[in-house]
Amino acid sequence: MDSLTKEQKDEHAVSFAILALYDGGAEITSEQIFALLEATGNTEVEKYYPTIFANFLSSPEKIIELITTPGGSGGGGGGDGGAAGGEEEEEEKEEEKEEEEEMDLGGGMDMFGGGGEDY
């Protein structure tokens, strides 16, 4: 923890407080976070962190989503599931094959559509 900046330490302290409140079944509010931070001796945490975190993580569903989603919640539209993914891959392969077939010009045409004649 010595290599962390003050901001990172503050964020960690607030995050751990929220997890403790969630695990204990308590309501997650900035007041509850402040109380837990004071009870654990984390009195130097910037006052805006508990408010920001409480506003974002006010419902247990949001906390569960963050815990169960690796890498955070940024990047919307992730994987749909097992069977559907395989079908999509097959469709993509078929589209690629079709594109390759369309691109085959038979070798008789040049860039300008001529048959190899000089101007």
Side-chain angles (χ1 to χ4, degrees), residues 22-104:
Y22 169 77
D23 193 44
E27 183 180 7
I28 297 171
T29 63
S30 57
E31 293 82 19
Q32 293 278 48
I33 297 169
F34 278 122
L36 190 53
L37 289 173
E38 286 201 12
T40 58
N42 292 297
T43 56
E44 294 184 19
V45 172
E46 295 291 334
K47 301 299 180 196
Y48 58 87
Y49 278 115
T51 304
I52 291 171
F53 278 60
N55 287 337
F56 182 68
L57 300 170
S58 58
S59 73
E61 291 81 24
K62 288 183 181 179
I63 295 171
I64 291 171
E65 181 182 343
L66 284 176
I67 292 172
T68 59
T69 307
S73 62
D80 284 333
E87 292 174 8
E88 290 177 11
E89 286 180 23
E90 288 178 21
E91 289 177 15
E92 288 177 16
K93 288 179 183 177
E94 288 178 17
E95 288 177 15
E96 287 178 18
K97 286 182 183 178
E98 288 176 14
E99 289 176 14
E100 288 175 8
E101 290 173 6
E102 291 173 9
M103 295 298 294
D104 184 18

